[in-house]
Amino acid sequence: MSKWSAGTALPGLVVEVVKRLRDEAVEELPSLQWAAEQCRTVFQVRAAGVLLADRDGGLQVAAATSPPVQALQRLATARGQGPGPACFRRGVLVLVPELPAVRGRWPQYASAARGAGICSVGSFPLHDRRAGGGLLGVLSLFDVRPGPLRSPPAAVQVVADAAALALTQRRVANQLPPREGQMDQHVSGRLLIEQAAGVLAERWQSDVTIALEALRKHARRQQMPLAEAARAILEGGPGSLPLA
C-alpha cells in the first residue's frame, strides 16, 4: 500500500474505529485489538499496540499485533521505559526513528526491541478531552526499518484522537447509574445480540462481524432496539431475518 492509498483509507478507518469502540455488543479489548491491526495495515508498519491507563495511574497492555511486540510492551510498562511510557507521562507524541540511539536512556527496552527486530517506534497519546481527563493510554506503531514513519504523524494522531473519543463516550455511558434491573437486562441483551449474530453468521457462512453489522442495520430499518431485533431473529418471527 502506498502513502496515497493509505491516505484514502484514513477516513474509513476513523469511522470504523469509532463505531467499533462504541459498539455495545463488542468488548473493549477486542475492539482495540482490531484497531491496532487496522493501524498496522493502513500505516504500513510491522506492528501496532495499545497501552491503557489503569486505576493506579500505571499502564497495561491492551492490544498488540504480534507476540514479540506484546512482550516488548509488557517490558515497557514494567520498567517504565520506551516511547509508550514517555508519551503517557508527557501527554505528547514521542517519535524514535532509531532505537539504538536511545540505548543509554532505555537500555532494557532498546535491547528487547533489537531482539524483536524493531528499529523505530512512534507513540501517540489517547487524550481524554473531558476537563481534567488526562490520558486514557497510548497507541504505538513499530517498524523493522529505521527512519521516520511512512505515514504523516498527524494522520496517526487523527486515529488516536478518534479512538480516545470513542473510548471516553463508551466509558461515560457505562458509568451511568443503572436503574433497578437494568444491569441484568443489559447483560441479557448482549447475550441475545451475540447469539443472533452467531445464528446469522452460521446461516450465511460468513464472519460474525459481518452478521453483527447486518443485524445493526436491520434494527435501524425496523426502528427497533438492537436486543429486540436479536430476540426476534432467535424466535424466528415473520420478517425477522435481515437480508444476507
mmCIF file of all heavy atoms in Angstrom, residues 195-243:
data_model
loop_
_atom_site.group_PDB
_atom_site.id
_atom_site.type_symbol
_atom_site.label_atom_id
_atom_site.label_comp_id
_atom_site.label_asym_id
_atom_site.label_seq_id
_atom_site.Cartn_x
_atom_site.Cartn_y
_atom_site.Cartn_z
ATOM 1 N N GLN A 195 -25.802 -14.086 20.343
ATOM 2 C CA GLN A 195 -26.394 -15.321 19.848
ATOM 3 C C GLN A 195 -27.013 -15.131 18.467
ATOM 4 O O GLN A 195 -26.848 -15.967 17.574
ATOM 5 C CB GLN A 195 -27.450 -15.827 20.830
ATOM 6 C CG GLN A 195 -26.870 -16.334 22.139
ATOM 7 C CD GLN A 195 -27.942 -16.604 23.183
ATOM 8 O OE1 GLN A 195 -29.129 -16.401 22.945
ATOM 9 N NE2 GLN A 195 -27.525 -17.056 24.344
ATOM 10 N N ALA A 196 -27.709 -14.019 18.274
ATOM 11 C CA ALA A 196 -28.339 -13.759 16.985
ATOM 12 C C ALA A 196 -27.289 -13.585 15.887
ATOM 13 O O ALA A 196 -27.446 -14.094 14.775
ATOM 14 C CB ALA A 196 -29.232 -12.524 17.066
ATOM 15 N N ALA A 197 -26.210 -12.877 16.206
ATOM 16 C CA ALA A 197 -25.136 -12.703 15.224
ATOM 17 C C ALA A 197 -24.516 -14.049 14.869
ATOM 18 O O ALA A 197 -24.191 -14.313 13.708
ATOM 19 C CB ALA A 197 -24.073 -11.755 15.766
ATOM 20 N N GLY A 198 -24.366 -14.917 15.867
ATOM 21 C CA GLY A 198 -23.842 -16.252 15.598
ATOM 22 C C GLY A 198 -24.757 -17.067 14.706
ATOM 23 O O GLY A 198 -24.302 -17.789 13.809
ATOM 24 N N VAL A 199 -26.060 -16.954 14.917
ATOM 25 C CA VAL A 199 -27.033 -17.670 14.084
ATOM 26 C C VAL A 199 -26.941 -17.201 12.633
ATOM 27 O O VAL A 199 -26.916 -17.997 11.691
ATOM 28 C CB VAL A 199 -28.466 -17.460 14.629
ATOM 29 C CG1 VAL A 199 -29.507 -17.909 13.609
ATOM 30 C CG2 VAL A 199 -28.646 -18.224 15.930
ATOM 31 N N LEU A 200 -26.881 -15.871 12.447
ATOM 32 C CA LEU A 200 -26.813 -15.330 11.093
ATOM 33 C C LEU A 200 -25.500 -15.717 10.413
ATOM 34 O O LEU A 200 -25.492 -16.066 9.223
ATOM 35 C CB LEU A 200 -26.943 -13.807 11.139
ATOM 36 C CG LEU A 200 -28.301 -13.264 11.589
ATOM 37 C CD1 LEU A 200 -28.248 -11.741 11.679
ATOM 38 C CD2 LEU A 200 -29.412 -13.696 10.641
ATOM 39 N N ALA A 201 -24.395 -15.641 11.151
ATOM 40 C CA ALA A 201 -23.095 -15.990 10.569
ATOM 41 C C ALA A 201 -23.071 -17.448 10.121
ATOM 42 O O ALA A 201 -22.554 -17.774 9.041
ATOM 43 C CB ALA A 201 -21.989 -15.728 11.587
ATOM 44 N N GLU A 202 -23.649 -18.330 10.932
ATOM 45 C CA GLU A 202 -23.689 -19.748 10.562
ATOM 46 C C GLU A 202 -24.587 -19.966 9.354
ATOM 47 O O GLU A 202 -24.252 -20.724 8.441
ATOM 48 C CB GLU A 202 -24.182 -20.576 11.742
ATOM 49 C CG GLU A 202 -24.184 -22.074 11.467
ATOM 50 C CD GLU A 202 -24.603 -22.883 12.684
ATOM 51 O OE1 GLU A 202 -24.904 -22.273 13.728
ATOM 52 O OE2 GLU A 202 -24.649 -24.119 12.578
ATOM 53 N N ARG A 203 -25.729 -19.287 9.334
ATOM 54 C CA ARG A 203 -26.674 -19.459 8.224
ATOM 55 C C ARG A 203 -26.088 -18.952 6.918
ATOM 56 O O ARG A 203 -26.278 -19.545 5.861
ATOM 57 C CB ARG A 203 -27.967 -18.723 8.540
ATOM 58 C CG ARG A 203 -29.058 -18.875 7.482
ATOM 59 C CD ARG A 203 -30.377 -18.374 7.995
ATOM 60 N NE ARG A 203 -30.788 -19.105 9.194
ATOM 61 C CZ ARG A 203 -31.927 -18.893 9.855
ATOM 62 N NH1 ARG A 203 -32.754 -17.972 9.430
ATOM 63 N NH2 ARG A 203 -32.229 -19.593 10.924
ATOM 64 N N TRP A 204 -25.372 -17.824 6.990
ATOM 65 C CA TRP A 204 -24.805 -17.227 5.776
ATOM 66 C C TRP A 204 -23.398 -17.729 5.477
ATOM 67 O O TRP A 204 -22.818 -17.349 4.461
ATOM 68 C CB TRP A 204 -24.755 -15.705 5.928
ATOM 69 C CG TRP A 204 -26.098 -15.055 6.067
ATOM 70 C CD1 TRP A 204 -27.310 -15.555 5.687
ATOM 71 C CD2 TRP A 204 -26.369 -13.758 6.631
ATOM 72 N NE1 TRP A 204 -28.306 -14.665 5.972
ATOM 73 C CE2 TRP A 204 -27.768 -13.542 6.554
ATOM 74 C CE3 TRP A 204 -25.568 -12.758 7.179
ATOM 75 C CZ2 TRP A 204 -28.372 -12.383 7.013
ATOM 76 C CZ3 TRP A 204 -26.164 -11.596 7.625
ATOM 77 C CH2 TRP A 204 -27.557 -11.413 7.547
ATOM 78 N N GLN A 205 -22.820 -18.513 6.389
ATOM 79 C CA GLN A 205 -21.425 -18.940 6.258
ATOM 80 C C GLN A 205 -20.503 -17.723 6.119
ATOM 81 O O GLN A 205 -19.665 -17.643 5.226
ATOM 82 C CB GLN A 205 -21.263 -19.873 5.051
ATOM 83 C CG GLN A 205 -21.976 -21.201 5.198
ATOM 84 C CD GLN A 205 -21.430 -22.023 6.360
ATOM 85 O OE1 GLN A 205 -20.263 -22.421 6.342
ATOM 86 N NE2 GLN A 205 -22.266 -22.291 7.347
ATOM 87 N N SER A 206 -20.703 -16.773 7.016
ATOM 88 C CA SER A 206 -19.950 -15.521 6.968
ATOM 89 C C SER A 206 -19.255 -15.284 8.300
ATOM 90 O O SER A 206 -19.418 -16.038 9.259
ATOM 91 C CB SER A 206 -20.881 -14.341 6.649
ATOM 92 O OG SER A 206 -21.699 -14.050 7.771
ATOM 93 N N ASP A 207 -18.505 -14.190 8.352
ATOM 94 C CA ASP A 207 -17.858 -13.771 9.591
ATOM 95 C C ASP A 207 -18.895 -13.185 10.552
ATOM 96 O O ASP A 207 -19.864 -12.558 10.122
ATOM 97 C CB ASP A 207 -16.792 -12.713 9.276
ATOM 98 C CG ASP A 207 -15.962 -12.362 10.497
ATOM 99 O OD1 ASP A 207 -14.962 -13.034 10.745
ATOM 100 O OD2 ASP A 207 -16.342 -11.394 11.180
ATOM 101 N N VAL A 208 -18.689 -13.382 11.859
ATOM 102 C CA VAL A 208 -19.631 -12.862 12.853
ATOM 103 C C VAL A 208 -19.703 -11.341 12.794
ATOM 104 O O VAL A 208 -20.769 -10.752 13.013
ATOM 105 C CB VAL A 208 -19.216 -13.327 14.270
ATOM 106 C CG1 VAL A 208 -20.089 -12.667 15.330
ATOM 107 C CG2 VAL A 208 -19.337 -14.836 14.382
ATOM 108 N N THR A 209 -18.575 -10.700 12.478
ATOM 109 C CA THR A 209 -18.573 -9.237 12.392
ATOM 110 C C THR A 209 -19.524 -8.745 11.306
ATOM 111 O O THR A 209 -20.254 -7.765 11.483
ATOM 112 C CB THR A 209 -17.147 -8.725 12.096
ATOM 113 O OG1 THR A 209 -16.264 -9.204 13.113
ATOM 114 C CG2 THR A 209 -17.105 -7.216 12.077
ATOM 115 N N ILE A 210 -19.540 -9.448 10.169
ATOM 116 C CA ILE A 210 -20.442 -9.077 9.073
ATOM 117 C C ILE A 210 -21.887 -9.285 9.504
ATOM 118 O O ILE A 210 -22.763 -8.452 9.243
ATOM 119 C CB ILE A 210 -20.119 -9.919 7.820
ATOM 120 C CG1 ILE A 210 -18.714 -9.571 7.313
ATOM 121 C CG2 ILE A 210 -21.160 -9.694 6.725
ATOM 122 C CD1 ILE A 210 -18.239 -10.456 6.191
ATOM 123 N N ALA A 211 -22.143 -10.404 10.181
ATOM 124 C CA ALA A 211 -23.501 -10.679 10.638
ATOM 125 C C ALA A 211 -23.965 -9.647 11.652
ATOM 126 O O ALA A 211 -25.127 -9.215 11.640
ATOM 127 C CB ALA A 211 -23.559 -12.083 11.247
ATOM 128 N N LEU A 212 -23.060 -9.216 12.522
ATOM 129 C CA LEU A 212 -23.419 -8.225 13.535
ATOM 130 C C LEU A 212 -23.759 -6.883 12.895
ATOM 131 O O LEU A 212 -24.714 -6.210 13.297
ATOM 132 C CB LEU A 212 -22.263 -8.071 14.518
ATOM 133 C CG LEU A 212 -22.487 -7.161 15.722
ATOM 134 C CD1 LEU A 212 -23.679 -7.633 16.543
ATOM 135 C CD2 LEU A 212 -21.241 -7.135 16.601
ATOM 136 N N GLU A 213 -23.004 -6.501 11.872
ATOM 137 C CA GLU A 213 -23.289 -5.249 11.178
ATOM 138 C C GLU A 213 -24.641 -5.321 10.465
ATOM 139 O O GLU A 213 -25.417 -4.368 10.465
ATOM 140 C CB GLU A 213 -22.172 -4.945 10.170
ATOM 141 C CG GLU A 213 -22.333 -3.637 9.424
ATOM 142 C CD GLU A 213 -22.303 -2.418 10.330
ATOM 143 O OE1 GLU A 213 -21.754 -2.523 11.447
ATOM 144 O OE2 GLU A 213 -22.845 -1.376 9.932
ATOM 145 N N ALA A 214 -24.945 -6.488 9.856
ATOM 146 C CA ALA A 214 -26.248 -6.663 9.206
ATOM 147 C C ALA A 214 -27.380 -6.588 10.224
ATOM 148 O O ALA A 214 -28.445 -6.019 9.949
ATOM 149 C CB ALA A 214 -26.282 -8.005 8.470
ATOM 150 N N LEU A 215 -27.144 -7.153 11.406
ATOM 151 C CA LEU A 215 -28.149 -7.098 12.465
ATOM 152 C C LEU A 215 -28.398 -5.659 12.901
ATOM 153 O O LEU A 215 -29.546 -5.248 13.118
ATOM 154 C CB LEU A 215 -27.677 -7.942 13.658
ATOM 155 C CG LEU A 215 -28.544 -7.905 14.921
ATOM 156 C CD1 LEU A 215 -29.966 -8.350 14.613
ATOM 157 C CD2 LEU A 215 -27.922 -8.784 16.005
ATOM 158 N N ARG A 216 -27.337 -4.864 13.022
ATOM 159 C CA ARG A 216 -27.499 -3.457 13.396
ATOM 160 C C ARG A 216 -28.315 -2.689 12.363
ATOM 161 O O ARG A 216 -29.218 -1.925 12.703
ATOM 162 C CB ARG A 216 -26.118 -2.795 13.531
ATOM 163 C CG ARG A 216 -25.487 -2.977 14.878
ATOM 164 C CD ARG A 216 -24.347 -1.972 15.033
ATOM 165 N NE ARG A 216 -23.280 -2.614 15.760
ATOM 166 C CZ ARG A 216 -22.247 -3.214 15.191
ATOM 167 N NH1 ARG A 216 -22.122 -3.231 13.888
ATOM 168 N NH2 ARG A 216 -21.334 -3.782 15.919
ATOM 169 N N LYS A 217 -27.983 -2.886 11.088
ATOM 170 C CA LYS A 217 -28.707 -2.190 10.024
ATOM 171 C C LYS A 217 -30.179 -2.606 10.007
ATOM 172 O O LYS A 217 -31.070 -1.782 9.793
ATOM 173 C CB LYS A 217 -28.049 -2.481 8.678
ATOM 174 C CG LYS A 217 -26.672 -1.857 8.520
ATOM 175 C CD LYS A 217 -26.063 -2.194 7.171
ATOM 176 C CE LYS A 217 -24.696 -1.547 7.011
ATOM 177 N NZ LYS A 217 -24.058 -1.903 5.715
ATOM 178 N N HIS A 218 -30.414 -3.887 10.228
ATOM 179 C CA HIS A 218 -31.788 -4.396 10.271
ATOM 180 C C HIS A 218 -32.572 -3.747 11.413
ATOM 181 O O HIS A 218 -33.730 -3.334 11.235
ATOM 182 C CB HIS A 218 -31.752 -5.915 10.449
ATOM 183 C CG HIS A 218 -33.100 -6.543 10.624
ATOM 184 N ND1 HIS A 218 -34.038 -6.606 9.615
ATOM 185 C CD2 HIS A 218 -33.678 -7.129 11.707
ATOM 186 C CE1 HIS A 218 -35.131 -7.208 10.063
ATOM 187 N NE2 HIS A 218 -34.925 -7.536 11.322
ATOM 188 N N ALA A 219 -31.934 -3.614 12.571
ATOM 189 C CA ALA A 219 -32.605 -2.997 13.715
ATOM 190 C C ALA A 219 -32.942 -1.537 13.427
ATOM 191 O O ALA A 219 -34.026 -1.057 13.782
ATOM 192 C CB ALA A 219 -31.721 -3.112 14.955
ATOM 193 N N ARG A 220 -32.017 -0.834 12.747
ATOM 194 C CA ARG A 220 -32.291 0.566 12.411
ATOM 195 C C ARG A 220 -33.442 0.679 11.418
ATOM 196 O O ARG A 220 -34.299 1.559 11.554
ATOM 197 C CB ARG A 220 -31.027 1.225 11.849
ATOM 198 C CG ARG A 220 -29.952 1.505 12.893
ATOM 199 C CD ARG A 220 -28.917 2.481 12.374
ATOM 200 N NE ARG A 220 -28.135 1.921 11.283
ATOM 201 C CZ ARG A 220 -26.986 1.274 11.455
ATOM 202 N NH1 ARG A 220 -26.491 1.106 12.658
ATOM 203 N NH2 ARG A 220 -26.314 0.798 10.420
ATOM 204 N N ARG A 221 -33.462 -0.211 10.414
ATOM 205 C CA ARG A 221 -34.545 -0.161 9.426
ATOM 206 C C ARG A 221 -35.899 -0.437 10.072
ATOM 207 O O ARG A 221 -36.915 0.168 9.724
ATOM 208 C CB ARG A 221 -34.289 -1.175 8.302
ATOM 209 C CG ARG A 221 -33.243 -0.745 7.289
ATOM 210 C CD ARG A 221 -33.290 -1.606 6.048
ATOM 211 N NE ARG A 221 -33.005 -2.998 6.354
ATOM 212 C CZ ARG A 221 -31.811 -3.555 6.295
ATOM 213 N NH1 ARG A 221 -30.775 -2.821 5.918
ATOM 214 N NH2 ARG A 221 -31.611 -4.822 6.582
ATOM 215 N N GLN A 222 -35.896 -1.372 11.019
ATOM 216 C CA GLN A 222 -37.140 -1.740 11.692
ATOM 217 C C GLN A 222 -37.473 -0.793 12.850
ATOM 218 O O GLN A 222 -38.516 -0.948 13.490
ATOM 219 C CB GLN A 222 -37.040 -3.181 12.224
ATOM 220 C CG GLN A 222 -36.795 -4.229 11.146
ATOM 221 C CD GLN A 222 -37.941 -4.332 10.169
ATOM 222 O OE1 GLN A 222 -39.104 -4.234 10.552
ATOM 223 N NE2 GLN A 222 -37.622 -4.525 8.896
ATOM 224 N N GLN A 223 -36.553 0.147 13.130
ATOM 225 C CA GLN A 223 -36.729 1.085 14.237
ATOM 226 C C GLN A 223 -36.976 0.327 15.555
ATOM 227 O O GLN A 223 -37.872 0.634 16.328
ATOM 228 C CB GLN A 223 -37.885 2.049 13.944
ATOM 229 C CG GLN A 223 -37.618 2.927 12.735
ATOM 230 C CD GLN A 223 -38.703 3.951 12.490
ATOM 231 O OE1 GLN A 223 -39.796 3.864 13.044
ATOM 232 N NE2 GLN A 223 -38.406 4.952 11.674
ATOM 233 N N MET A 224 -36.106 -0.644 15.786
ATOM 234 C CA MET A 224 -36.184 -1.482 16.984
ATOM 235 C C MET A 224 -34.874 -1.393 17.751
ATOM 236 O O MET A 224 -33.816 -1.205 17.145
ATOM 237 C CB MET A 224 -36.427 -2.957 16.615
ATOM 238 C CG MET A 224 -37.683 -3.242 15.825
ATOM 239 S SD MET A 224 -37.681 -4.956 15.223
ATOM 240 C CE MET A 224 -37.697 -5.866 16.783
ATOM 241 N N PRO A 225 -34.907 -1.528 19.083
ATOM 242 C CA PRO A 225 -33.658 -1.686 19.829
ATOM 243 C C PRO A 225 -32.920 -2.927 19.343
ATOM 244 O O PRO A 225 -33.545 -3.920 18.918
ATOM 245 C CB PRO A 225 -34.124 -1.844 21.279
ATOM 246 C CG PRO A 225 -35.479 -1.213 21.317
ATOM 247 C CD PRO A 225 -36.083 -1.488 19.972
ATOM 248 N N LEU A 226 -31.596 -2.875 19.402
ATOM 249 C CA LEU A 226 -30.791 -3.976 18.878
ATOM 250 C C LEU A 226 -31.133 -5.299 19.556
ATOM 251 O O LEU A 226 -31.226 -6.342 18.899
ATOM 252 C CB LEU A 226 -29.307 -3.645 19.071
ATOM 253 C CG LEU A 226 -28.282 -4.559 18.399
ATOM 254 C CD1 LEU A 226 -28.529 -4.657 16.909
ATOM 255 C CD2 LEU A 226 -26.873 -4.058 18.671
ATOM 256 N N ALA A 227 -31.323 -5.275 20.869
ATOM 257 C CA ALA A 227 -31.623 -6.516 21.592
ATOM 258 C C ALA A 227 -32.974 -7.100 21.168
ATOM 259 O O ALA A 227 -33.132 -8.318 21.069
ATOM 260 C CB ALA A 227 -31.599 -6.273 23.095
ATOM 261 N N GLU A 228 -33.951 -6.243 20.891
ATOM 262 C CA GLU A 228 -35.262 -6.739 20.454
ATOM 263 C C GLU A 228 -35.182 -7.353 19.069
ATOM 264 O O GLU A 228 -35.827 -8.379 18.786
ATOM 265 C CB GLU A 228 -36.286 -5.601 20.472
ATOM 266 C CG GLU A 228 -36.694 -5.160 21.870
ATOM 267 C CD GLU A 228 -37.804 -4.129 21.839
ATOM 268 O OE1 GLU A 228 -38.485 -4.020 20.789
ATOM 269 O OE2 GLU A 228 -37.988 -3.438 22.849
ATOM 270 N N ALA A 229 -34.407 -6.743 18.190
ATOM 271 C CA ALA A 229 -34.219 -7.317 16.861
ATOM 272 C C ALA A 229 -33.530 -8.673 16.956
ATOM 273 O O ALA A 229 -33.880 -9.621 16.240
ATOM 274 C CB ALA A 229 -33.398 -6.367 15.995
ATOM 275 N N ALA A 230 -32.550 -8.779 17.870
ATOM 276 C CA ALA A 230 -31.856 -10.055 18.063
ATOM 277 C C ALA A 230 -32.822 -11.115 18.586
ATOM 278 O O ALA A 230 -32.816 -12.267 18.143
ATOM 279 C CB ALA A 230 -30.692 -9.869 19.037
ATOM 280 N N ARG A 231 -33.688 -10.740 19.529
ATOM 281 C CA ARG A 231 -34.659 -11.693 20.076
ATOM 282 C C ARG A 231 -35.613 -12.187 18.976
ATOM 283 O O ARG A 231 -35.934 -13.379 18.910
ATOM 284 C CB ARG A 231 -35.475 -11.044 21.195
ATOM 285 C CG ARG A 231 -36.425 -12.004 21.904
ATOM 286 C CD ARG A 231 -37.344 -11.255 22.857
ATOM 287 N NE ARG A 231 -36.588 -10.546 23.871
ATOM 288 C CZ ARG A 231 -36.146 -11.118 24.991
ATOM 289 N NH1 ARG A 231 -36.376 -12.401 25.203
ATOM 290 N NH2 ARG A 231 -35.484 -10.405 25.872
ATOM 291 N N ALA A 232 -36.038 -11.265 18.103
ATOM 292 C CA ALA A 232 -36.947 -11.656 17.023
ATOM 293 C C ALA A 232 -36.292 -12.666 16.087
ATOM 294 O O ALA A 232 -36.937 -13.617 15.629
ATOM 295 C CB ALA A 232 -37.381 -10.417 16.242
ATOM 296 N N ILE A 233 -35.008 -12.479 15.831
ATOM 297 C CA ILE A 233 -34.300 -13.429 14.966
ATOM 298 C C ILE A 233 -34.211 -14.798 15.624
ATOM 299 O O ILE A 233 -34.450 -15.836 14.997
ATOM 300 C CB ILE A 233 -32.892 -12.884 14.641
ATOM 301 C CG1 ILE A 233 -33.011 -11.709 13.675
ATOM 302 C CG2 ILE A 233 -31.994 -13.975 14.064
ATOM 303 C CD1 ILE A 233 -31.719 -10.985 13.441
ATOM 304 N N LEU A 234 -33.895 -14.815 16.913
ATOM 305 C CA LEU A 234 -33.785 -16.101 17.616
ATOM 306 C C LEU A 234 -35.128 -16.810 17.722
ATOM 307 O O LEU A 234 -35.205 -18.040 17.692
ATOM 308 C CB LEU A 234 -33.197 -15.867 19.012
ATOM 309 C CG LEU A 234 -31.745 -15.362 19.045
ATOM 310 C CD1 LEU A 234 -31.338 -15.008 20.456
ATOM 311 C CD2 LEU A 234 -30.805 -16.421 18.482
ATOM 312 N N GLU A 235 -36.199 -16.019 17.841
ATOM 313 C CA GLU A 235 -37.530 -16.621 17.954
ATOM 314 C C GLU A 235 -38.144 -16.933 16.601
ATOM 315 O O GLU A 235 -39.180 -17.614 16.531
ATOM 316 C CB GLU A 235 -38.451 -15.683 18.744
ATOM 317 C CG GLU A 235 -38.028 -15.531 20.205
ATOM 318 C CD GLU A 235 -38.885 -14.535 20.955
ATOM 319 O OE1 GLU A 235 -39.705 -13.852 20.300
ATOM 320 O OE2 GLU A 235 -38.730 -14.444 22.195
ATOM 321 N N GLY A 236 -37.524 -16.426 15.524
ATOM 322 C CA GLY A 236 -37.972 -16.783 14.182
ATOM 323 C C GLY A 236 -39.304 -16.216 13.783
ATOM 324 O O GLY A 236 -40.058 -16.853 13.040
ATOM 325 N N GLY A 237 -39.614 -14.995 14.230
ATOM 326 C CA GLY A 237 -40.867 -14.382 13.851
ATOM 327 C C GLY A 237 -40.882 -14.004 12.384
ATOM 328 O O GLY A 237 -39.847 -13.915 11.737
ATOM 329 N N PRO A 238 -42.088 -13.790 11.796
ATOM 330 C CA PRO A 238 -42.178 -13.418 10.377
ATOM 331 C C PRO A 238 -41.484 -12.086 10.108
ATOM 332 O O PRO A 238 -41.648 -11.113 10.837
ATOM 333 C CB PRO A 238 -43.695 -13.300 10.155
ATOM 334 C CG PRO A 238 -44.279 -13.086 11.507
ATOM 335 C CD PRO A 238 -43.408 -13.825 12.444
ATOM 336 N N GLY A 239 -40.663 -12.080 9.037
ATOM 337 C CA GLY A 239 -39.966 -10.859 8.670
ATOM 338 C C GLY A 239 -38.853 -10.478 9.604
ATOM 339 O O GLY A 239 -38.397 -9.340 9.608
ATOM 340 N N SER A 240 -38.426 -11.431 10.448
ATOM 341 C CA SER A 240 -37.426 -11.086 11.460
ATOM 342 C C SER A 240 -35.998 -11.148 10.946
ATOM 343 O O SER A 240 -35.098 -10.583 11.534
ATOM 344 C CB SER A 240 -37.554 -12.031 12.653
ATOM 345 O OG SER A 240 -37.331 -13.370 12.251
ATOM 346 N N LEU A 241 -35.768 -11.861 9.812
ATOM 347 C CA LEU A 241 -34.414 -12.034 9.338
ATOM 348 C C LEU A 241 -33.991 -10.890 8.434
ATOM 349 O O LEU A 241 -34.722 -10.526 7.509
ATOM 350 C CB LEU A 241 -34.278 -13.351 8.560
ATOM 351 C CG LEU A 241 -34.285 -14.620 9.401
ATOM 352 C CD1 LEU A 241 -34.186 -15.834 8.505
ATOM 353 C CD2 LEU A 241 -33.150 -14.623 10.401
ATOM 354 N N PRO A 242 -32.795 -10.319 8.663
ATOM 355 C CA PRO A 242 -32.274 -9.310 7.746
ATOM 356 C C PRO A 242 -31.830 -9.963 6.440
ATOM 357 O O PRO A 242 -31.631 -11.164 6.376
ATOM 358 C CB PRO A 242 -31.086 -8.719 8.503
ATOM 359 C CG PRO A 242 -30.642 -9.817 9.402
ATOM 360 C CD PRO A 242 -31.892 -10.560 9.801
ATOM 361 N N LEU A 243 -31.693 -9.148 5.402
ATOM 362 C CA LEU A 243 -31.222 -9.665 4.130
ATOM 363 C C LEU A 243 -29.760 -10.041 4.244
ATOM 364 O O LEU A 243 -28.968 -9.352 4.871
ATOM 365 C CB LEU A 243 -31.390 -8.607 3.041
ATOM 366 C CG LEU A 243 -32.835 -8.197 2.709
ATOM 367 C CD1 LEU A 243 -32.825 -7.076 1.691
ATOM 368 C CD2 LEU A 243 -33.615 -9.400 2.192
#
